[in-house]
Amino acid sequence: MSFLKTVATHLYEKFGNNIADCAIIFPNKRPAIYFRKELGQLVDRPIWSPDLFTIHEFIQESTNRLPADRLLCSFLLYEAYSKVWSDQQLLPVSYERFYPLGEILLNDFTELESNAVSIKDIYSNLAELAAIDQGLDYLSEEQLDYLQRFWKNFSVERLSKQKERFLQLWKHLPAIFELFRNELEQRGLITTGMIYRSLVTEAYDRKDFPTRWKHLVFVGYNALNRSELQVLKKWEEQGLALFYFDTDTHYIEDELQEAGRFLRRNLSLFNNQLPTGNNIRRTDRSIQLIAAEGNAAQVRMLPALLEHIPGIKEEPEQTAILLADENQLLPVLHALPDWTDKVNITMGYGLVQSPLYSLMQTIIRIQESLWQNKGRSVYYQPLLQLVQHPYLYQLPEAAEIAQTVLQKALVSIPSTTWEKLEEPRLKKCLTLIQHPIEIISLIRNILEDHLASVVEGEATDLQSQLIHAAHAQLNRLEDLLTERKEELSLSFISELILQVMRSQSVPLEGEPLRGLQIMGLLESRALDFKHIILLNVNEGILPKKAVAPTLIPDSIRRAYGLSVLENQDAIFAYVFYRLLQRSQSVSCLYNTAVDERGMAEQSRFLTQIEYETGIPIIRKSVRMDINPKAKDPIVIEKDDAVMRTLNKYTGEEVILSPSALNTYIDCRLRFYFQNLQGIREPEEREEEISPRVLGNFLHRAMEFLYKGLEEKKGNKWVEPGDFEWLNGQIDRYLKEALGLELAKDRTHVIDYTGTLRIVEEVVKIYIEEVLKQDKRWAPFEMVDQEWKIAHPVQLEVEGRLITIRLGGFIDRLDKKDGIYRIIDYKTGSDKKEFRSVQDLFTRDRTDRNKAALQTLLYAELLGKQLEQQPKSGTAPAWMQSHIGAARVQAGLYNVRQMRSEGPEFDWRLSENASKTKLDDYRIKEIGPELMDSLHSVLSEIFTRDQPFDQTERREKCEYCPYQKICGR
C-alpha cells in the first residue's frame, strides 16, 4: 500500500465525513493530487473535501499582505542600505554594484526570518571575545565554540581591508534589515521569511488562523526549519496538529545514516501517526546499478528498461523516470519508445532552452553594439545571429543581409545596410533605443510582432505559452524599473532581463494521474511507484554539491542552527532512500564518462546500498558505440553523364589546372566532387583567418605593389633604387588587398578587429621579406603577375585523340639575364625539395610535394609556349617579342623560410636524389619525364574503366571539406 493511500485510509477511519474539518498540508503540490484520488476511492458517497495545501500556500493563509516581488525587494533593500550608509556619513555604491551583494543579503534575510533567528544577535560585533558571554546565554557550549572559532580570525590589530569592509557591513546589517522590513510592512507586502517569524510570534494578520480548521495534518515532511519546529510543536500541544512521517528502520535506527538526520529529530519531538516501516532492506526485489558511458548512453537504455517492466502498457502511471539532472528532460523525451503515448511531465520547459531566449539575447547584443557605436554600425556577430535565427532566417531581407555580411566579410556593418528594411522585427531590432529602459519594450514589441506574423496553426501551444510568459515578465520588469530614479545602464538591465528569463518555464504536464511519470527528484516526495528508473545517480549530482551564496560563515551558521551543506545532503539522501521503500523494481543509471565537471563516479548512496543492506545488486555496464558503422565506400562510375561532364576539359573554355591535378592524385573522389560537380562548402563567416586567405592577402598585395611601380615608372623594370618607394607603399596596397579579398572591393576600407590587425602586421612582415629578397635579385623585369596560362596537351585515350587545355594562374613571372623565372608565393610550410619526378605523381606518398609539381608544370607549359613563338594578337606583347630558345626556371618564395634564412635564402627547387638546385637546363631536361607522368594521369582521368573512388590514405581526409559526405 502506498504512503498516501495509508494516510488517506487512516484519516478517513479517524474522522469519517468530518475530514472536511481538516487542513492537510504537503511539502509540495504533487502529493495533493494523489491524495485526493486515494481519498476518493475510500468514500462511497459524496462528502466535502478537506482543504489541501502546500506548506507555502498554508502559511500564506495567515496573512492579508501580498507576497513581495523579488526585484522590488532588491530595490527596497538598496534604499535601506543607502540610508544607513548616508546616516553613517559613508558613500554608498551604485545600485548596479550593490545588486549581486543584495541578492546574497536577500537570501540571508529570508533564511534568518524563516528560522526566527535574532538578526541583532547574529550580526553583533563579537570581535572582542569577551562579548560572547554577554547576552548569548541561550546558546549551547558547542554553539559558543563555533562563534569563538569564527571571531578569532578577526584580530582587531591585524584587520585586512576585506575584513574591515566585511565587519563594517556586518555591523550595520541589523539596521539595514530593520529599515527594509519596515518599508515592506508600510507597502502591505511580506516575504516568506517574515511570515515564518510572524507564526513564531503569533502576530497573525488573520485572527482565525489556524483555528478555522479543527485539525492540521502534516503529511510527508522531512527537514523542518527552526520556525516550523517551534510552531508545529506548539500546535501539537494545543491538539491541532497531526503528523504523518514516512519512515524506515534502515535510516532511523542507524544514527550515522544521513537520510534519517531530520526524521530522528522529528520523531523525538512529534507523535507520528504511523509506525516506522521496515521496507528498504527487503530482499524480494533487486536493484540494477547500470554504469553508462555518457549521458546519451543512459538515455538510450530507457526503451529497453521500459520494455522489461511487467504491465507497463496497462499501468504506465506505476512507472516513474526520475531525473537527478533535470537538463536531461529533452533527451529523455526524444528517447521514449513510440508506444508511450501517455506521458505526464511534472517539470516545466525552461524558456532558456527555447529559441525565444536566444532571440532575446541577440536583440540585446545588437542594441549593446548599436549603443556602443552610437547607432552608426553594428558588430557582425550579433547581426548574423539575428538574420540566421530560426524565427527569422526565412525572411528575404534577412537572407539578403546575411549574404552581404558573408560575401564582403564585413566586421562592422554600417547602418546603411538596413536603412530601407521593411520587415518590422528586423527594423525594430536594428533601430537604436534612446534610453536603456526601452530595451524592455523593444523586446516585448518584437515578440508581439513575431506572434502576429506566425501563420495560424504554425505557432505551437508551447511557443505561445513561452511568449506570453516572457511578455508578462517584461511588463513586470518595466513597471518596477520605471519607478527607479537612478538611470540604470543598458548592460545591467539586459542582464536583469536574461536572469529573469532564465528562471521562467511553462508547464509540460499532461494528465497527472495517467501515463508514464517523468519528474525531478524532489517532486517525488511522498509519492510511491512500483517501478523506478533513476538517471544520473552520480556523486556531485545526487547529492548536489552547489550551495546558495551567503555572507553568513559556516561556523556562525552552525552556531545558530542554520542550513549547512550536510543538511542538503541529508535531504537528498532521504528522498533517494524513500523511493526504495515500496518499489518493486529499481534501476539506477550513472555516468562513467568524465565531463567538464569531472563527475564520473556513482553516488555514495549507491555504495551505501551495496554495503549497508542485503538487497540483491545487479551490476551492468553499457557504452555508446563510438565507432559507428563506416559508410560503404563511395565509387562514382564513369557513365555517359560523367563522361559528358569530363569533356568540358576538351573544349576551349575550361582549363585543367595543376591544383586540380594535385587534387586528383590525392583523391579521385574529391576531384569529382570539387572539379566536376562543383560542390562547394556552405558559405560561412570565418572567425579566424585561414592560411589560404592569408596567402591570398600576400599574393594580392604583391601584385598591387609591382603594378603600382609599373604605373609610376611606365615600364616593367625593377631596380635597386625602387625599393625605398615600394617599402613606403606597403600600407596602402596591403589595405587595398584586404578590401578586395574580404569585401570584393579594392576601395573598401576594412574596419579592423584585433585578429585582422594582427593578420595585417603578419602579412606586412611577409611583404618586407619578399622585398628584401627581390632587392638582392634586382635588377629584373617584372614580366607579369597572376598571369593566366593555357596550353593544349594532346593524348590518345581508348583509341581516340583528345586535346586538353592545361594551365592556370602563375603568381609571378619575372625575367633576368634572358631567363624567365616562375615564382609561387607560399605562406605555409611548403618545401622546395622533392625526391624525383615520379614521386611527384605517387598518390600514396604523404610527403608528395604539390607546390613543386605545380611550378614545374607551369615552367614546362611556359617553355612550350615560348618555343612556339606565338604571333597571334591574343598573346601578350612580351611573348610575341620573344626570340630564341626558351630558358625557364621555377621556384618558391616560402616566406617563413625566407625570414629565418635571410640573405642565405635560395628560392630554387632541388631534387633530393641529386641534392642539386634546379637551374633552367635541369628543368628542361626533366621536362619529357614530367610530361610522360602527366600523360599517364590524364589518361587515367579520361579512361572509363577507372572510377572516381576514395583515397586509401585516411590522413588526407582530416581537412577535406567532403569528409562528412564520405563518412570519414
Side-chain angles (χ1 to χ4, degrees):
M1 185 183 296
S2 71
F3 170 64
L4 291 177
K5 186 177 183 66
T6 303
V7 173
T9 303
H10 192 275
L11 284 173
Y12 190 61
E13 289 175 354
K14 187 178 185 70
F15 297 110
N17 295 342
N18 294 327
I19 197 173
D21 296 331
C22 298
I24 304 177
I25 303 104
F26 301 93
N28 54 313
K29 286 186 176 181
R30 187 63 44 181
I33 300 170
Y34 283 81
F35 178 84
R36 184 173 283 114
K37 170 198 168 189
E38 299 294 353
L39 184 60
Q41 292 177 348
L42 293 173
V43 301
D44 54 4
R45 59 187 179 277
I47 64 169
W48 290 107
S49 171
D51 291 331
L52 307 180
F53 299 100
T54 66
I55 185 63
H56 292 295
E57 291 169 345
F58 179 68
I59 65 173
Q60 191 70 41
E61 291 289 313
S62 70
T63 181
N64 295 320
R65 286 178 279 175
L66 296 174
D69 180 271
R70 176 76 177 196
L71 185 57
L72 177 61
C73 285
S74 178
F75 291 148
L76 296 180
L77 185 63
Y78 175 71
E79 290 174 3
Y81 152 80
S82 298
K83 188 176 187 315
V84 171
W85 245 237
S86 299
D87 291 345
Q88 297 296 320
Q89 297 184 339
L90 299 170
L91 182 64
V93 299
S94 67
Y95 175 70
E96 292 186 22
R97 287 192 61 190
F98 174 82
Y99 177 78
L101 173 65
E103 290 295 289
I104 297 173
L105 292 177
L106 284 175
N107 289 339
D108 287 346
F109 176 78
T110 298
E111 187 171 13
L112 294 173
E113 292 287 285
S114 297
N115 286 276
V117 172
S118 170
I119 291 179
K120 182 179 178 181
D121 285 351
I122 200 169
Y123 289 117
S124 292
N125 188 351
L126 304 181
E128 295 294 336
L129 294 179
I132 289 181
D133 298 327
Q134 301 174 9
L136 298 176
D137 52 353
Y138 59 88
L139 297 179
S140 67
E141 289 185 8
E142 183 183 18
Q143 290 175 317
L144 288 173
D145 181 58
Y146 282 133
L147 283 177
Q148 287 174 342
R149 275 188 279 159
F150 170 72
W151 288 110
K152 279 178 182 176
N153 292 322
F154 288 87
S155 166
V156 177
E157 293 79 16
R158 299 173 60 188
L159 283 178
S160 68
K161 288 185 177 180
Q162 290 82 1
K163 288 181 179 179
E164 285 179 358
R165 291 194 192 108
F166 177 79
L167 285 178
Q168 188 179 60
L169 176 63
W170 188 276
K171 181 172 64 175
H172 291 110
L173 277 176
I176 293 172
F177 283 152
E178 185 63 28
L179 279 175
F180 171 61
R181 184 191 292 107
N182 292 340
E183 183 61 29
L184 285 173
E185 289 175 352
Q186 289 176 16
R187 290 173 176 250
L189 301 174
I190 197 166
T191 67
T192 300
M194 291 167 64
I195 296 176
Y196 272 115
R197 190 181 289 275
S198 70
L199 293 178
V200 173
T201 59
E202 298 187 357
Y204 309 137
D205 292 340
R206 300 180 63 172
K207 300 305 178 185
D208 62 343
F209 182 86
T211 54
R212 71 171 181 266
W213 297 282
K214 291 183 179 180
H215 302 283
L216 307 178
V217 183
F218 295 88
V219 178
Y221 284 84
N222 174 34
L224 299 170
N225 62 39
R226 285 178 35 155
S227 293
E228 288 168 339
L229 290 170
Q230 293 180 55
V231 173
L232 297 189
K233 185 61 180 175
K234 177 178 60 181
W235 288 342
E236 184 185 43
E237 291 172 351
Q238 293 172 356
L240 272 175
L242 297 174
F243 300 94
Y244 289 83
F245 299 115
D246 192 7
T247 59
D248 192 275
T249 56
H250 175 71
Y251 47 76
I252 295 298
E253 294 179 352
D254 184 354
E255 292 292 330
L256 299 178
Q257 220 327 317
E258 56 192 331
R261 177 174 184 169
F262 296 109
L263 284 172
R264 288 190 292 270
R265 181 188 62 185
N266 294 347
L267 293 180
S268 68
L269 292 174
F270 306 108
N271 179 32
N272 188 10
Q273 298 296 311
L274 298 177
T276 298
N278 187 15
N279 296 309
I280 288 180
R281 295 171 182 167
R282 287 185 294 118
T283 58
D284 59 346
R285 45 92 176 166
S286 59
I287 295 179
Q288 286 193 94
L289 304 186
I290 303 174
E293 192 171 322
N295 289 332
Q298 293 184 67
V299 171
R300 284 186 61 183
M301 282 291 294
L302 283 177
L305 291 173
L306 292 170
E307 194 70 41
H308 285 87
I309 294 176
I312 187 171
K313 295 181 181 179
E314 292 75 25
E315 289 185 314
E317 60 277 358
Q318 293 296 332
T319 300
I321 299 174
L322 298 166
L323 308 182
D325 180 0
E326 296 188 7
N327 292 322
Q328 288 290 89
L329 175 59
L330 290 182
V332 166
L333 293 179
H334 286 298
L336 294 179
D338 295 337
W339 53 263
T340 53
D341 53 335
K342 294 178 182 177
V343 177
N344 177 49
I345 305 163
T346 65
M347 295 175 289
Y349 176 67
L351 192 148
V352 70
Q353 297 173 287
S354 72
L356 190 65
Y357 181 80
S358 64
L359 178 61
M360 287 190 277
Q361 272 186 313
T362 303
I363 295 170
I364 286 169
R365 300 295 171 252
I366 283 181
Q367 285 298 320
E368 288 176 340
S369 182
L370 285 170
W371 192 271
Q372 184 179 3
N373 297 302
K374 297 181 172 57
R376 293 192 293 265
S377 63
V378 68
Y379 188 51
Y380 80 93
Q381 280 185 333
L383 182 59
L384 272 183
Q385 289 168 358
L386 178 71
V387 296
Q388 293 176 342
H389 191 274
Y391 289 168
L392 303 172
Y393 77 97
Q394 292 178 324
L395 299 173
E397 289 180 316
E400 186 178 336
I401 291 176
Q403 186 177 18
T404 301
V405 175
L406 290 169
Q407 283 185 347
K408 291 194 172 184
L410 299 174
V411 175
S412 184
I413 317 301
S415 58
T416 52
T417 309
W418 64 79
E419 279 178 346
K420 297 180 181 179
L421 283 176
E422 295 182 2
E423 207 287 326
R425 288 167 290 176
L426 294 176
K427 188 172 184 179
K428 288 176 182 176
C429 189
L430 290 164
T431 301
L432 177 64
I433 57 177
Q434 299 304 309
H435 302 283
I437 190 68
E438 294 174 7
I439 187 69
I440 298 176
S441 58
L442 173 66
I443 295 174
R444 184 178 59 227
N445 292 338
I446 291 173
L447 296 186
E448 291 171 354
D449 288 343
H450 175 68
L451 197 57
S453 69
V454 177
V455 179
E456 187 175 351
E458 287 188 7
T460 63
D461 289 341
L462 182 59
Q463 189 182 53
S464 299
Q465 288 181 59
L466 288 169
I467 290 176
H468 286 121
H471 195 280
Q473 292 302 318
L474 290 169
N475 287 340
R476 180 182 69 89
L477 269 177
E478 189 174 46
D479 291 343
L480 290 169
L481 293 177
T482 49
E483 294 179 8
R484 297 290 306 162
K485 295 177 183 178
E486 175 187 357
E487 183 164 326
L488 302 171
S489 69
L490 177 60
S491 60
F492 177 75
I493 295 176
S494 299
E495 183 52 41
L496 204 58
I497 292 170
L498 295 177
Q499 180 179 314
V500 169
M501 295 305 166
R502 283 194 289 269
S503 65
Q504 296 304 303
S505 62
V506 295
L508 287 174
E509 47 187 289
E511 193 172 342
L513 301 174
R514 299 184 64 187
L516 179 67
Q517 303 293 307
I518 300 176
M519 61 182 65
L521 201 60
L522 291 178
E523 293 171 300
S524 69
R525 286 175 292 180
L527 303 183
D528 292 301
F529 301 97
K530 291 181 180 178
H531 309 287
I532 302 287
I533 299 175
L534 185 52
L535 301 180
N536 291 97
V537 192
N538 280 81
E539 191 67 23
I541 298 178
L542 182 61
K544 292 181 180 178
K545 287 181 179 177
V547 291
T550 177
L551 283 186
I552 306 174
D554 182 80
S555 53
I556 290 186
R557 301 184 73 84
R558 294 178 188 277
Y560 284 90
L562 301 177
S563 178
V564 291
L565 184 60
E566 298 96 287
N567 292 2
Q568 180 176 281
D569 292 353
I571 290 170
F572 279 98
Y574 173 68
V575 173
F576 172 76
Y577 275 98
R578 208 202 68 79
L579 289 169
L580 308 181
Q581 291 176 194
R582 298 173 187 86
S583 57
Q584 296 178 7
S585 70
V586 179
S587 296
C588 296
L589 294 88
Y590 62 95
N591 182 9
T592 60
V594 178
D595 60 13
E596 65 277 3
R597 294 174 293 184
M599 291 175 287
E601 60 177 306
Q602 68 179 33
S603 169
R604 64 174 180 266
F605 298 160
L606 300 183
T607 307
Q608 289 169 6
I609 290 173
E610 283 190 275
Y611 290 99
E612 295 179 2
T613 72
I615 302 173
I617 301 297
I618 300 174
R619 281 198 169 273
K620 293 183 179 180
S621 180
V622 295
R623 58 181 294 174
M624 289 282 287
D625 185 6
I626 59 174
N627 296 314
K629 181 183 177 182
K631 286 187 178 180
D632 293 332
I634 301 176
V635 178
I636 307 296
E637 299 292 345
K638 292 176 182 173
D639 56 18
D640 291 343
V642 172
M643 293 305 295
R644 282 194 298 271
T645 306
L646 266 175
N647 286 336
K648 69 181 181 180
Y649 290 114
T650 62
E652 293 293 322
E653 299 297 324
V654 183
I655 296 173
L656 185 61
S657 67
S659 62
L661 290 171
N662 270 322
T663 300
Y664 181 83
I665 294 169
D666 276 348
C667 177
R668 300 183 184 96
L669 187 62
R670 179 171 179 175
F671 174 84
Y672 173 79
F673 287 146
Q674 184 171 305
N675 299 95
L676 289 190
Q677 296 302 322
I679 299 175
R680 297 287 180 260
E681 294 179 83
E683 194 169 28
E684 293 181 356
R685 179 69 159 80
E686 292 187 27
E687 289 295 318
E688 303 292 337
I689 300 298
S690 66
R692 176 186 60 82
V693 175
L694 189 69
N696 290 346
F697 291 161
L698 176 63
H699 283 69
R700 197 65 65 191
M702 292 307 305
E703 179 188 359
F704 289 171
L705 264 173
Y706 279 117
K707 282 185 177 178
L709 178 65
E710 182 181 346
E711 291 172 1
K712 174 179 176 291
K713 296 180 65 174
N715 62 59
K716 295 176 178 290
W717 281 97
V718 180
E719 299 169 299
D722 295 326
F723 285 90
E724 183 179 354
W725 182 88
L726 285 168
N727 279 290
Q729 299 298 310
I730 292 176
D731 288 340
R732 170 192 169 184
Y733 288 117
L734 177 53
K735 283 179 169 57
E736 291 184 12
L738 293 174
L740 185 64
E741 289 299 320
L742 291 177
K744 308 297 186 286
D745 181 358
R746 181 172 176 173
T747 63
H748 180 78
V749 179
I750 297 296
D751 186 8
Y752 289 98
T753 61
T755 302
L756 267 180
R757 192 166 296 281
I758 293 171
V759 168
E760 182 192 31
E761 289 301 316
V762 170
V763 177
K764 185 177 179 179
I765 292 170
Y766 287 171
I767 294 171
E768 290 170 349
E769 291 299 325
V770 171
L771 292 180
K772 287 178 186 176
Q773 177 65 26
D774 283 351
K775 187 175 182 179
R776 289 189 285 269
W777 181 248
F780 60 88
E781 180 185 1
M782 183 62 72
V783 178
D784 216 332
Q785 298 178 91
E786 298 298 324
W787 176 58
K788 183 178 181 180
I789 185 172
H791 187 75
V793 175
Q794 285 190 335
L795 68 152
E796 185 177 344
V797 180
E798 297 177 338
R800 62 190 179 102
L801 191 65
I802 62 173
T803 301
I804 299 163
R805 285 170 56 79
L806 193 64
F809 288 89
I810 294 176
D811 289 350
R812 165 176 166 172
L813 179 64
D814 59 39
K815 185 178 180 182
K816 181 176 182 177
D817 299 332
I819 301 175
Y820 290 95
R821 184 178 72 153
I822 292 173
I823 289 294
D824 195 359
Y825 298 116
K826 295 296 181 183
T827 57
S829 55
D830 299 87
K831 297 184 182 300
K832 296 185 289 292
E833 298 79 23
F834 63 96
R835 294 174 62 85
S836 66
V837 171
Q838 184 179 354
D839 278 354
L840 294 176
F841 294 88
T842 304
R843 59 171 29 99
D844 60 352
R845 290 195 65 88
T846 56
D847 60 348
R848 189 175 66 84
N849 195 328
K850 302 175 190 177
L853 174 59
Q854 179 171 305
T855 51
L856 288 173
L857 281 175
Y858 281 143
E860 181 66 18
L861 296 179
L862 177 61
K864 288 185 178 298
Q865 285 205 354
L866 289 172
E867 287 174 356
Q868 292 175 6
Q869 296 187 9
K871 303 298 180 182
S872 67
T874 58
W878 58 266
M879 183 173 284
Q880 294 188 47
S881 62
H882 174 76
I883 299 174
R887 299 180 64 185
V888 181
Q889 279 190 286
L892 303 180
Y893 267 17
N894 40 356
V895 289
R896 291 187 187 179
Q897 190 176 358
M898 183 184 291
R899 190 172 185 220
S900 62
E901 294 182 4
E904 304 301 318
F905 174 77
D906 193 329
W907 48 268
R908 292 175 297 177
L909 300 174
S910 64
E911 290 179 279
N912 288 349
S914 61
K915 298 187 182 299
T916 57
K917 300 291 184 180
L918 269 64
D919 56 16
D920 58 304
Y921 295 107
R922 179 57 183 161
I923 288 178
K924 189 168 185 175
E925 187 177 280
I926 65 176
E929 183 183 0
L930 186 76
M931 294 307 291
D932 286 344
S933 298
L934 175 65
H935 276 78
S936 297
V937 173
L938 293 175
S939 297
E940 184 181 294
I941 292 175
F942 289 90
T943 298
R944 273 184 179 267
D945 294 340
Q946 176 57 62
F948 294 108
D949 53 10
Q950 296 160 296
T951 178
E952 295 180 0
R953 301 300 295 264
R954 285 180 174 262
E955 60 269 24
K956 295 182 179 181
C957 305
E958 186 174 356
Y959 299 108
C960 176
Y962 309 105
Q963 62 176 196
K964 290 184 179 178
I965 298 177
C966 296
R968 291 188 170 185

